[in-house]
Protein backbone atom coordinates (compact mmCIF):
# COMPACT_ATOMS: atom_id res chain seq x y z
CA UNK A 1 0.00 0.00 0.00
CA UNK A 2 1.24 3.47 -0.90
CA UNK A 3 -0.07 6.59 0.82
CA UNK A 4 -0.02 9.84 -1.14
CA UNK A 5 0.52 12.90 1.01
CA UNK A 6 -0.32 15.20 -1.92
CA UNK A 7 -1.29 15.07 -5.60
CA UNK A 8 2.40 15.20 -6.47
CA UNK A 9 2.73 11.67 -5.03
CA UNK A 10 0.08 10.07 -7.29
CA UNK A 11 2.20 9.36 -10.37
CA UNK A 12 5.32 8.21 -8.46
CA UNK A 13 3.28 5.91 -6.18
CA UNK A 14 1.25 4.40 -9.04
CA UNK A 15 4.41 3.97 -11.12
CA UNK A 16 6.22 2.23 -8.26
CA UNK A 17 3.30 -0.18 -7.79
CA UNK A 18 3.33 -1.01 -11.51
CA UNK A 19 7.13 -1.40 -11.58
CA UNK A 20 6.91 -3.88 -8.71
CA UNK A 21 4.88 -6.16 -10.97
CA UNK A 22 1.47 -6.07 -9.31
CA UNK A 23 -1.25 -7.46 -11.64
CA UNK A 24 -3.78 -4.91 -10.40
CA UNK A 25 -3.04 -1.41 -9.12
CA UNK A 26 -5.96 0.27 -7.33
CA UNK A 27 -6.17 4.07 -6.93
CA UNK A 28 -8.60 5.59 -4.44
CA UNK A 29 -10.63 8.67 -5.36
CA UNK A 30 -11.62 10.48 -8.53
CA UNK A 31 -8.80 12.99 -7.97
CA UNK A 32 -6.38 10.25 -9.05
CA UNK A 33 -8.13 9.61 -12.40
CA UNK A 34 -5.79 11.67 -14.59
CA UNK A 35 -2.65 10.32 -12.90
CA UNK A 36 -3.94 6.75 -13.10
CA UNK A 37 -4.72 7.14 -16.80
CA UNK A 38 -1.26 8.59 -17.45
CA UNK A 39 0.55 5.80 -15.60
CA UNK A 40 -1.67 3.08 -17.14
CA UNK A 41 -0.54 4.15 -20.62
CA UNK A 42 3.09 3.61 -19.59
CA UNK A 43 2.37 0.13 -18.15
CA UNK A 44 0.03 -1.66 -20.61
CA UNK A 45 0.67 -5.06 -19.01
CA UNK A 46 -0.72 -3.92 -15.66
CA UNK A 47 -4.44 -3.55 -14.89
CA UNK A 48 -5.48 -0.36 -13.08
CA UNK A 49 -8.65 0.39 -11.12
CA UNK A 50 -10.00 3.51 -9.44
CA UNK A 51 -12.28 3.25 -6.42
CA UNK A 52 -14.59 6.23 -5.88
CA UNK A 53 -17.81 6.83 -3.99
CA UNK A 54 -20.52 8.67 -5.90
CA UNK A 55 -24.30 8.38 -6.11
CA UNK A 56 -24.19 5.95 -3.18
CA UNK A 57 -22.05 3.61 -5.23
CA UNK A 58 -18.37 2.98 -5.28
CA UNK A 59 -16.82 3.05 -8.73
CA UNK A 60 -14.12 0.58 -9.65
CA UNK A 61 -12.46 1.50 -12.94
CA UNK A 62 -10.83 -1.44 -14.67
CA UNK A 63 -8.63 -1.18 -17.73
CA UNK A 64 -6.32 -3.45 -19.64
CA UNK A 65 -6.25 -6.28 -22.12
CA UNK A 66 -7.80 -8.90 -19.81
CA UNK A 67 -10.56 -6.78 -18.26
CA UNK A 68 -13.44 -8.17 -20.33
CA UNK A 69 -12.43 -11.76 -19.59
CA UNK A 70 -12.04 -10.91 -15.91
CA UNK A 71 -15.57 -9.47 -15.69
CA UNK A 72 -17.09 -12.31 -17.75
CA UNK A 73 -15.57 -14.78 -15.30
CA UNK A 74 -17.87 -13.44 -12.57
CA UNK A 75 -21.05 -12.40 -14.39
CA UNK A 76 -23.51 -13.83 -16.89
CA UNK A 77 -23.44 -10.93 -19.38
CA UNK A 78 -21.94 -11.29 -22.84
CA UNK A 79 -19.47 -8.42 -22.70
CA UNK A 80 -18.06 -8.89 -26.19
CA UNK A 81 -18.04 -5.50 -27.95
CA UNK A 82 -20.45 -6.75 -30.64
CA UNK A 83 -23.08 -7.36 -27.92
CA UNK A 84 -22.01 -4.82 -25.28
CA UNK A 85 -20.22 -1.94 -26.99
CA UNK A 86 -18.69 1.23 -25.59
CA UNK A 87 -21.25 3.41 -23.84
CA UNK A 88 -23.43 0.47 -22.81
CA UNK A 89 -24.34 -0.08 -19.17
CA UNK A 90 -26.17 -2.99 -17.54
CA UNK A 91 -27.12 -4.16 -14.08
CA UNK A 92 -26.03 -7.68 -13.20
CA UNK A 93 -24.50 -9.83 -10.50
CA UNK A 94 -20.72 -9.91 -10.31
CA UNK A 95 -19.39 -12.52 -7.90
CA UNK A 96 -22.91 -12.56 -6.39
CA UNK A 97 -22.89 -8.79 -5.73
CA UNK A 98 -25.39 -6.48 -7.43
CA UNK A 99 -23.44 -4.10 -9.70
CA UNK A 100 -23.72 -1.85 -12.73
CA UNK A 101 -21.15 -2.54 -15.44
CA UNK A 102 -20.41 0.34 -17.78
CA UNK A 103 -18.23 -0.18 -20.86
CA UNK A 104 -16.60 3.24 -21.08
CA UNK A 105 -14.16 2.86 -23.97
CA UNK A 106 -12.36 0.35 -26.14
CA UNK A 107 -9.53 2.62 -27.33
CA UNK A 108 -6.65 2.66 -26.73
CA UNK A 109 -7.52 -0.17 -24.32
CA UNK A 110 -10.76 -1.55 -22.85
CA UNK A 111 -12.06 0.50 -19.91
CA UNK A 112 -14.98 -0.65 -17.75
CA UNK A 113 -16.48 0.90 -14.64
CA UNK A 114 -18.13 -1.32 -12.06
CA UNK A 115 -20.51 0.57 -9.76
CA UNK A 116 -21.23 -1.28 -6.54
CA UNK A 117 -22.78 -0.41 -3.18
CA UNK A 118 -20.13 0.77 -0.71
CA UNK A 119 -20.87 -2.11 1.67
CA UNK A 120 -19.88 -4.60 -1.07
CA UNK A 121 -16.97 -2.63 -2.58
CA UNK A 122 -14.18 -4.27 -0.58
CA UNK A 123 -15.59 -7.72 -1.34
CA UNK A 124 -15.86 -7.02 -5.09
CA UNK A 125 -12.38 -5.44 -5.22
CA UNK A 126 -10.89 -8.45 -3.41
CA UNK A 127 -12.76 -10.84 -5.70
CA UNK A 128 -11.47 -8.97 -8.78
CA UNK A 129 -7.90 -9.10 -7.48
CA UNK A 130 -8.16 -12.85 -6.77
CA UNK A 131 -9.78 -13.55 -10.13
CA UNK A 132 -7.18 -11.42 -11.96
CA UNK A 133 -4.42 -13.40 -10.30
CA UNK A 134 -6.01 -16.66 -11.43
CA UNK A 135 -6.69 -15.36 -14.95
CA UNK A 136 -3.12 -14.33 -15.62
CA UNK A 137 -1.50 -17.45 -14.09
Amino acid sequence: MFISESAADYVPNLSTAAQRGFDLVVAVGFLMAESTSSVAKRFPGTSFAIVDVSANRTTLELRGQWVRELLEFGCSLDLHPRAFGPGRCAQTLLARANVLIWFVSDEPEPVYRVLVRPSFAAYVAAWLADAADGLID
Side-chain angles (χ1 to χ4, degrees):
M1 178 179 351
F2 301 91
I3 298 174
S4 298
E5 299 293 329
S6 72
D9 296 335
Y10 297 165
V11 169
N13 285 346
L14 292 165
S15 297
T16 300
Q19 289 167 345
R20 289 190 181 173
F22 295 113
D23 294 327
L24 177 65
V25 175
V26 179
V28 179
F30 74 93
L31 294 175
M32 295 185 73
E34 186 175 317
S35 297
T36 303
S37 179
S38 172
V39 173
K41 290 174 185 168
R42 292 187 6 238
F43 296 94
T46 302
S47 294
F48 289 81
I50 297 178
V51 178
D52 195 314
V53 177
S54 58
N56 197 27
R57 294 193 184 260
T58 299
T59 303
L60 305 172
E61 184 169 291
L62 308 171
R63 56 179 65 233
Q65 64 181 352
W66 299 103
V67 172
R68 180 169 50 95
E69 289 82 359
L70 173 62
L71 292 171
E72 286 179 333
F73 185 68
C75 80
S76 61
L77 294 177
D78 177 2
L79 298 177
H80 192 279
R82 73 175 172 268
F84 194 82
R88 300 281 309 264
C89 183
Q91 183 170 337
T92 188
L93 293 177
L94 177 65
R96 292 187 249 157
N98 192 2
V99 300
L100 295 172
I101 296 179
W102 173 18
F103 186 10
V104 178
S105 172
D106 202 24
E107 297 296 331
E109 64 184 351
V111 178
Y112 289 84
R113 290 189 182 141
V114 177
L115 290 84
V116 59
R117 296 272 181 215
S119 57
F120 287 94
Y123 162 75
V124 171
W127 182 90
L128 287 166
D130 286 345
D133 188 45
L135 183 67
I136 300 205
D137 287 345

